[in-house]
Amino acid sequence: MDSWVRLLLLVACLFPALVECRVRHYKFNVVMKNSTKLCSSKPIVTVNGKFPGPTLYAREHDTVLVKVVNHVKYNVTIHWHGVRQLRTGWADGPAYITQCPIQSGHSYVYNFTITGQRGTLLWHAHILWLRATVHGAIVILPKRGVPYPFPKPHKEVVVVLAEWWKSDTEAVINQALRSGLAPNVSDSHTINGQPGPISSCSSQGGFTLPVDSGKTYMLRIINAALNEELFFKIAGHKLTVVEVDATYVKPFKTDTIVIAPGQTTNVLLSADKTSGKYLVAASPFMDAPIAVDNATATATLHYSGTLASSATTLTSTPPKNGTAIANKFIDSLRSLNSKKYPAKVPQTVDHNLLFTVGLGVNPCPSCKAGNGSRVVASINNVTFVMPTIALLQAHFFNISGVFTTDFPGNPPHTYNFTGTPKNLQTSNGTKAYRLAYNSTVQLILQDTGIIAPENHPVHLHGFNFFAVGKGLGNFNPKKDPKKFNLVDPVERNTIGVPSGGWVAIRFSADNPGVWFMHCHLEVHTTWGLKMAFLVDNGKGPNESLLPPPSDLPKC
């Protein structure tokens, strides 16, 4: 009988027009692969030998099973960035938060259902700095028969932006941790795995996007970079933004988008020229005195019928510190808030939280390059210490001594946050903030001026949230909430905290489990800018965390 069931499922998947396949099976083999870029070769960790990795396709309400087999020397986990993981925290992926890592020679099946989501997300490794090369797209199509809330494009194209180091990225961060200083920046940015032609390496090719005149294309743009926010633009063409982080937005036109690590943006591109080649550019955005990779990744938009030898129409990239350009884009984002896709913004708040996010300096006697000090990062002055047992396992099995639930809801000391405090030190701890099921949260994320103010793209696992307000300087709890947008704020899973400013988000704690929140600049995560929310079970099985699968990796 079992074989007949398998045969029926196979027929359904091979002929989806007859019966929609609701279970999607993928196999991710984590393997080493030699790769050459910038006229330099090195072995990299990949999924199925590809950089970027394979695109995972599913439809809203599909169940997805991904068997990850680890063939490399590193421990591995995969995070399905932005997937809600309702009651399935065991499949979320951050190492030592929801699972112990998959050890070399072992495997684990990630099993989750995509509920109430459609659009573009991403998957990536969530341990060490492996996500530099272990990442790819997640494309969630609407339920069959449900149209997009915008004209259907002629074709859809995944565009993955990333960074590339000539050196081994694990060696880069390990050297930095030994020294106590910041790691070396990347050597280039990439568009779909290619930096584009550069003067120092004439053989370096670039990604080509072929288009037909008069057709409309949807670009599913993903920033999979480790540490850098990016501008993206195409010479001579406007882009119509229709979605961010797998949520529909009110469409608007722009010539430049800004996209932080972990964020996604879907745009419609009208191929409204008759012919030609046009430069596609991804360049860094950094409006603080922080070192970045200044290289611009390039690709080519190539109209059919245009000779390969034709000159490419160029475009100027925004200035690296183009805050006004970034703000214009960010301030244009509004939830679609239609009858079919309403913006369910919490109108009342049970937990009113203020979290400072920023850097610090702690003693490190062995850090000679840092003169006996080490750069760290923190939330509310707590530098997170990674446990050796996953927090979710400790919570589910009542294992004591792994973490505490006394994460502070407000900064331990009040000061001019965007100024320069006298004390640069932080405290260490493995702490979570506890939330009752379905409670509502307003969280102010406040940048600090310790060392330097900086834009922090903060990612919350397990939830979407609404960005109801933002501003420069210190958040004013009396004046600023009066300007909040509680009608159609953009809904995201990753939000940029402005340099020297703050952002306000709201969400409902409707997902039981332990959920990581951290800066998506990997260097800041490594330094400790992370914490977790523990959401208790609600009433009955439908509001409770499912038990762990039998193949959950052991520490």
Side-chain angles (χ1 to χ4, degrees), residues 26 119 159 243 271 288 323-324 391-392 399 423 451 455 500:
Y26 288 88
V159 179
E243 176 207 303
T323 308
L391 300 187
L392 188 61
I399 303 171
N423 182 16
I451 300 182
N455 190 315

Side-chain angles (χ1 to χ4, degrees), residues 178-238:
R178 284 193 300 270
S179 72
L181 302 177
N184 293 335
V185 298
S186 56
D187 295 295
S188 72
H189 299 104
T190 59
I191 300 175
N192 281 350
Q194 299 296 333
I198 58 172
S199 59
S200 61
C201 181
S202 58
S203 64
Q204 177 65 62
F207 172 70
T208 297
L209 173 58
V211 296
D212 294 330
S213 180
K215 300 288 179 64
T216 298
Y217 297 80
M218 182 159 74
L219 307 184
R220 296 177 176 269
I221 306 167
I222 296 165
N223 187 345
L226 274 189
N227 294 316
E228 296 188 2
E229 300 192 58
L230 296 168
F231 289 117
F232 179 89
K233 65 186 300 189
I234 301 176
H237 293 75
K238 291 276 190 179

